[in-house]
Amino acid sequence: MRETVADCGALTEQETHLSESPSAVPGTQRPGGRTAKVRRAVLDATQETLAAGGFPALNMDQVAAAAGVGKTTVYRRWGSPVGLVADLLRDMAEQSLPAADTGTLAGDLRANAALVRETLTDPRMGAVFRAVIAAAAFDEECARALGGFYRTRLAEWAVVAERAAARGELPAGTDPLELLRAVSAPLYYRAVVSQEEPTPADAERAAAAALAAARAGAYAP
């Protein structure tokens, strides 16, 4: 159950300073204490709002009320709905599962494809991603935040290709990021562009196709 936080008048002097300081970018405050609880409550409310109504429904006052946080705190710390989305994406990247290590590249890519599919088909998280992707199409700041999220996730999974190259499963110089993009791209196309729900078979096919292309040198110089 999400913790709620009292009105911003209950913030300590130190936390108020953190909120007002230009260096206190969302997601950079020290962990723990009331500041962390405020952030957690607001980001949970942001995610719930995106899942229920998409980006157009992301109203700062309503998010503050749902989180049990004073709206002054939300406006001061996040500034705009886009600020909420950007911090939510940072938090999601921080909370994401680490890369798989099945012992083979084929197994790792299947795990990656399954994770992408499960996220996109989850009633809550799938709706959140569709809302953020839609917002990124017309808002530059949101697009940068979304790009940062995916760069973080790709970098975290790059190790699967590096391990595979060390085992001799891939041509030298294979680009790990291009390989991983090839796994997820067909699944995002189905979920976001053609509005189809990716199936487990789709995930298996995406992983197998990316693996075959990589072995053939498609992602090597």
Side-chain angles (χ1 to χ4, degrees):
M1 181 179 296
R2 188 183 72 246
E3 290 187 74
T4 58
V5 184
D7 189 87
C8 63
L11 289 174
T12 65
E13 181 180 349
Q14 180 185 37
E15 286 160 343
T16 300
H17 173 72
L18 282 170
S19 299
E20 293 173 340
S21 170
S23 64
V25 177
T28 63
Q29 289 89 357
R30 291 180 297 178
R34 185 177 294 278
T35 296
K37 290 180 180 179
V38 166
R39 183 180 183 234
R40 179 77 273 138
V42 169
L43 294 185
D44 285 350
T46 298
Q47 190 178 97
E48 289 172 8
T49 302
L50 287 172
F55 187 75
L58 196 59
N59 177 280
M60 299 283 279
D61 290 4
Q62 292 176 6
V63 166
V69 176
K71 63 182 181 181
T72 303
T73 297
V74 175
Y75 278 99
R76 183 189 299 130
R77 189 171 297 171
W78 285 273
S80 69
V82 171
L84 290 171
V85 170
D87 197 23
L88 176 63
L89 287 167
R90 279 190 289 270
D91 181 69
M92 288 165 59
E94 293 164 4
Q95 302 299 323
S96 295
L97 294 173
D101 186 3
T102 66
T104 67
L105 180 59
D108 291 345
L109 294 184
R110 283 197 298 270
N112 181 263
L115 178 60
V116 171
R117 188 199 74 82
E118 289 165 6
T119 300
L120 292 174
T121 57
D122 180 83
R124 178 188 178 95
M125 293 310 301
V128 169
F129 272 102
R130 285 191 295 273
V132 172
I133 290 169
F138 63 83
D139 188 281
E140 184 177 346
E141 185 180 348
C142 193
R144 286 196 301 270
L146 184 62
F149 170 83
Y150 283 114
R151 282 191 296 273
T152 298
R153 292 303 292 142
L154 288 171
E156 290 172 347
W157 275 81
V159 65
V160 305
E162 294 163 1
R163 288 193 302 250
R167 292 191 297 259
E169 294 184 78
L170 286 175
T174 296
D175 187 327
L177 304 187
E178 289 303 314
L179 170 57
L180 292 165
R181 289 189 182 103
V183 174
S184 60
L187 304 176
Y188 274 94
Y189 182 90
R190 286 183 181 274
V192 179
V193 179
S194 63
Q195 297 293 304
E196 302 171 72
E197 185 169 285
T199 67
D202 293 328
E204 287 284 334
R205 187 182 305 111
L211 177 61
R215 286 174 171 167
Y219 312 119

